[in-house]
């Protein structure tokens, strides 16, 4: 058999015409219409043969004359002897091997996963370190406006008590990186329960409920040391960038992305995303080290965590950005604090 059957499209209408293809002695390709229509002769050098990709039909194109589709055949290689490009050969090789397709798909998924897990946090840290103070201040200002509207009320703690805690907090963080920007704020936030959170500009908020829950001031300092860790390591901005990066990737995939909408979204992202487990571990480690360096027993950290996990009523909001935003104090975190402590773990 030295002919092929195909479909000819004239390039003007969507209608396909059944044709038979065969080589003409004069160095052309004869295209015979199956319905007895006119015969065409295309010079071989004017025909562009489309790449071979798996089992898809081959396409023969001639500028201004439409195209013919036909199944792949060794005849085409005879008619159009030319070296296949490497990329084409590779694509064809991949298409014909299911395992290779599977491996390639898996590789792509792994790469995307690794990019989101490792690449995005890496970039977020670099960007956060270069984020101007003015941006941290503005993002925090907008975030707190959103919060004040919905969650925060003025604290009812006596002024003397606030002064006392501010003094102890100042002693705790003095000399820490970026400590001069850390300021303690007291609020009531019934929806947040006993909670604390840090804003990127250095403000650390403490709810009245947490002050009441704590057994002593050292337990409060343990929570504040953890929040100071979030500030020192710039977790707020990093988390916001990481979450936005995911939004950005999704936006790129679905074609809805603009810088301005991202800027508007940043404070909301900051409030809604919470910290990653990695950030929480880093803040915990920072807190334990800070407490140790100030002569405060690390057991205080385990104690307040245990109180928090025991006394948080069901259904309390775990956000925003709060001590409990991503997860309640886990036994794992309490154990880590007890391991760090010189004292015997207290048994309840
Ligand atoms: Zn935290």
């Amino acid at each position: 058999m030295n002919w092929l059957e195909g479909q000819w499209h004239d390039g003007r209408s969507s209608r396909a015409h059944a044709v038979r293809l065969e080589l003409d002695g004069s160095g052309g390709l004869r295209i015979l219409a199956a319905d007895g229509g006119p015969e065409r002769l295309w010079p071989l050098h004017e025909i562009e043969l489309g790449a071979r990709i798996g089992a898809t039909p081959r396409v023969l194109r001639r500028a201004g004359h439409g195209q013919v589709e036909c199944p792949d055949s060794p005849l085409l290689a005879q008619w159009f002897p030319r070296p296949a490009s490497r990329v084409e050969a590779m694509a064809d090789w991949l298409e014909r091997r299911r395992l290779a397709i599977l491996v390639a798909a898996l590789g792509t998924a792994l790469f995307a996963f690794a990019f989101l897990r490792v690449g995005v946090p890496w970039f977020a840290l670099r960007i956060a370190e270069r984020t101007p103070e003015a941006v941290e201040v503005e993002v925090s200002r907008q975030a707190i406006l959103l919060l004040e509207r919905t969650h925060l009320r003025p604290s009812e703690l006596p002024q003397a008590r606030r002064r006392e805690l501010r003094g102890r907090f100042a002693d705790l963080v003095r000399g820490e990186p970026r400590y001069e920007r850390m300021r303690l704020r007291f609020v009531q936030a019934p929806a947040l329960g006993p909670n604390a959170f840090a804003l990127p500009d250095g403000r650390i908020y403490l709810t009245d409920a947490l002050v009441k829950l704590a057994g002593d001031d050292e337990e409060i300092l343990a929570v504040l040391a953890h929040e100071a860790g979030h500030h020192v390591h710039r977790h707020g901005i990093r988390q916001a960038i990481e979450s936005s990066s995911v939004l950005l990737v999704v936006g790129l995939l679905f074609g809805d992305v603009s810088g301005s909408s991202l800027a508007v979204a940043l404070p909301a992202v900051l409030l809604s995303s919470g910290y990653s487990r990695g950030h929480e571990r880093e803040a915990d480690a920072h807190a334990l080290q800070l407490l140790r360096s100030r002569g405060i027993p690390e057991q205080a950290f385990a104690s307040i965590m245990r109180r928090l996990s025991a006394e948080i009523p069901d259904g309390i909001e775990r956000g925003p950005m709060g001590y409990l935003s991503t997860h309640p104090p886990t036994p794992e975190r309490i154990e880590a604090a007890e391991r760090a402590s010189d004292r015997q773990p207290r048994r309840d």
Side-chain angles (χ1 to χ4, degrees), residues 226-227 230 275 279-280 283-284 321-323 325 333:
H226 172 95
E227 295 305 326
H230 282 314
Y275 297 114
H279 290 169
E280 292 300 347
D284 281 0
M321 293 175 63
Y323 205 67
S325 59
R333 291 174 72 189

